[in-house]
Amino acid sequence: MKMVKKGDIIVIIVSLVLLVLCIGFCLLIKKDGIYVVIKEDNKTVYSGSLFKDDTIKLKHNTVKIKNGQAYMLCADCKNQICVNTGKISNSGETIVCLPNKVIVEIE
Ligand SMILES: [Zn+2]
């Protein structure tokens, strides 16, 4: 039987540690979606953590970030679809206000 060299063991351990760290990191990022990105007129006007409470006042809309959820607090559009969308917290979810060209997205 061939002897395993000390150097080989270190390489294997380092590789395993890196792999575990990488998987953990990826899971953490994918968990709930962490960033809220707000676009107005196709321009990004806000980008921040979903877990940092904030109130973002736009020209016609007010977006609220609270307790890891984002929602349209108020808007002056007629249909109020964006306000009625409710709270979003998962990656890929969006709140769209077509009349005011506002998009709130979790990334
Ligand atoms: Zn709206």
Side-chain angles (χ1 to χ4, degrees):
M1 236 178 101
K2 215 171 106 186
M3 285 289 286
V4 180
K5 284 183 214 144
K6 240 184 193 171
D8 292 343
I9 293 170
I10 291 169
V11 167
I12 291 166
I13 290 172
V14 168
S15 303
L16 282 174
V17 168
L18 282 175
L19 190 72
V20 169
L21 282 177
C22 191
I23 292 170
F25 194 63
C26 292
L27 283 176
L28 203 71
I29 283 181
K30 282 192 173 171
K31 202 182 137 210
D32 280 311
I34 35 170
Y35 270 87
V36 181
V37 176
I38 302 171
K39 286 175 186 158
E40 191 175 36
D41 286 326
N42 292 321
K43 278 179 225 147
T44 301
V45 291
Y46 179 89
S47 175
S49 173
L50 184 62
F51 299 101
K52 189 175 154 269
D53 292 358
D54 209 347
T55 304
I56 303 99
K57 285 194 168 74
L58 306 169
K59 276 178 237 163
H60 305 281
N61 303 55
T62 304
V63 181
K64 187 105 181 152
I65 298 167
K66 203 167 195 285
N67 301 326
Q69 293 178 311
Y71 58 97
M72 196 70 78
L73 188 67
C74 56
D76 64 4
C77 59
K78 277 181 187 168
N79 57 30
Q80 295 286 299
I81 287 172
C82 52
V83 177
N84 292 326
T85 302
K87 295 171 179 178
I88 57 170
S89 58
N90 294 312
S91 185
E93 285 187 311
T94 52
I95 300 172
V96 181
C97 183
L98 274 179
N100 296 338
K101 292 183 187 165
V102 171
I103 300 170
V104 182
E105 193 170 11
I106 307 285
E107 288 192 346

